[in-house]
Amino acid sequence: DVKVTQSSRYLVKRTGEKVFLECVQDMDHENMFWYRQDPGLGLRLIYFSYDVKMKEKGDIPEGYSVSREKKERFSLILESASTNQTSMYLCASSVTGYNSPLHFGNGTRLTVT
Amino acid sequence: AQSVTQLGSHVSVSEGALVLLRCNYSSSVPPYLFWYVQYPNQGLQLLLKYTTGATLVKGINGFEAEFKKSETSFHLTKPSAHMSDAAEYFCAVSGDNAGNMLTFGGGTRLMVKP
């Protein structure tokens, strides 16, 4: 079974802090994704990566950056956290292909105060 | 650009009743369609997917969905709801953009009454 592990389940940070969200997958998947989940808005793609050191912007990249130094690890970085970044963050991975399902982690609920 | 609309952010049914969750999509190319389920405090897991071929797709836990191209719909159904079906359900589409990126609907929270 594919396992996608997000390092923190809950996180509370202060406005202006630099925040790192970590995600690791154990199935050698090429693609990794970061989504943000907000009530009524579904999941919105922040960034994705299709290979080591490669990244592409999703629908809402502003205020975020990412890092993928190893195939199994994909980090989401909030350079200067703001209260409007309080949300649930979901990491996912997949093999390449339009019909390849995503495998999700359990999410990190981030609160910025 | 592709998009997904889920009608009804909350749906409530009685245990044993039919479950119908609606999903309409837009895509300029033949789509790949997915339903995911999210149980409380968990990530999303795949319920079923449509790629090509048979338009009625069966998934896990007794759910199924039918792809209707003429209606651009992919509604999710289950004949008899169980308490354990209470969760949030997301419809998603891919195929109309670069890479393997899914576009998700806003989600429908299913509540099951005893």
Side-chain angles (χ1 to χ4, degrees):
Chain A
D1 243 8
V2 177
K3 191 160 186 183
V4 179
T5 304
Q6 294 184 231
S7 55
S8 303
R9 186 77 181 94
Y10 298 94
L11 214 49
V12 180
K13 296 292 181 180
R14 294 190 180 276
T15 300
E17 277 193 83
K18 190 169 186 175
V19 181
F20 293 86
L21 303 183
E22 307 287 345
C23 175
V24 177
Q25 52 97 359
D26 66 358
M27 281 301 291
D28 204 36
H29 284 172
E30 296 88 2
N31 300 327
M32 296 190 74
F33 305 81
W34 275 106
Y35 284 90
R36 173 176 169 158
Q37 181 181 8
D38 298 289
L41 298 178
L43 276 71
R44 293 177 292 167
L45 182 65
I46 304 171
Y47 269 96
F48 74 100
S49 169
Y50 53 87
D51 201 352
V52 174
K53 296 192 185 296
M54 305 304 289
K55 61 184 179 184
E56 294 285 344
K57 293 180 179 179
D59 299 318
I60 52 165
E62 297 78 19
Y64 303 95
S65 62
V66 290
S67 171
R68 194 169 180 197
E69 297 296 319
K70 294 185 177 181
K71 191 173 185 180
E72 67 271 19
R73 187 179 296 271
F74 192 36
S75 303
L76 179 69
I77 304 154
L78 286 66
E79 297 290 342
S80 177
S82 64
T83 55
N84 62 13
Q85 292 178 309
T86 291
S87 187
M88 172 69 85
Y89 291 88
L90 292 169
C91 176
S93 72
S94 76
V95 298
T96 298
Y98 286 110
N99 63 357
S100 301
L102 300 184
H103 299 267
F104 284 86
N106 283 341
T108 296
R109 185 166 294 282
L110 173 67
T111 302
V112 183
T113 62
Chain B
Q2 57 195 25
S3 66
V4 177
T5 302
Q6 291 182 240
L7 277 177
S9 59
H10 292 79
V11 170
S12 181
V13 301
S14 297
E15 193 172 19
L18 171 72
V19 175
L20 170 61
L21 304 183
R22 298 177 187 274
C23 172
N24 288 87
Y25 69 91
S26 70
S27 176
S28 61
V29 300
Y32 298 106
L33 295 158
F34 305 78
W35 275 99
Y36 285 83
V37 60
Q38 184 180 34
Y39 298 105
N41 299 314
Q42 293 185 26
L44 281 69
Q45 53 184 280
L46 182 68
L47 259 184
L48 50 80
K49 68 177 182 180
Y50 168 79
T51 53
T52 58
T55 56
L56 182 62
V57 181
K58 294 188 185 298
I60 61 172
N61 301 336
F63 284 93
E64 60 183 37
E66 187 171 10
F67 170 56
K68 292 187 176 180
K69 185 178 177 181
S70 60
E71 299 178 9
T72 60
S73 69
F74 191 56
H75 302 330
L76 182 70
T77 60
K78 182 174 180 177
S80 177
H82 192 273
M83 297 296 290
S84 61
D85 295 326
E88 189 153 23
Y89 293 80
F90 293 92
C91 182
V93 62
S94 79
D96 191 12
N97 53 28
N100 152 1
M101 288 190 290
L102 292 185
T103 299
F104 286 85
T108 298
R109 185 167 297 280
L110 176 66
M111 294 165 284
V112 182
K113 298 175 291 187

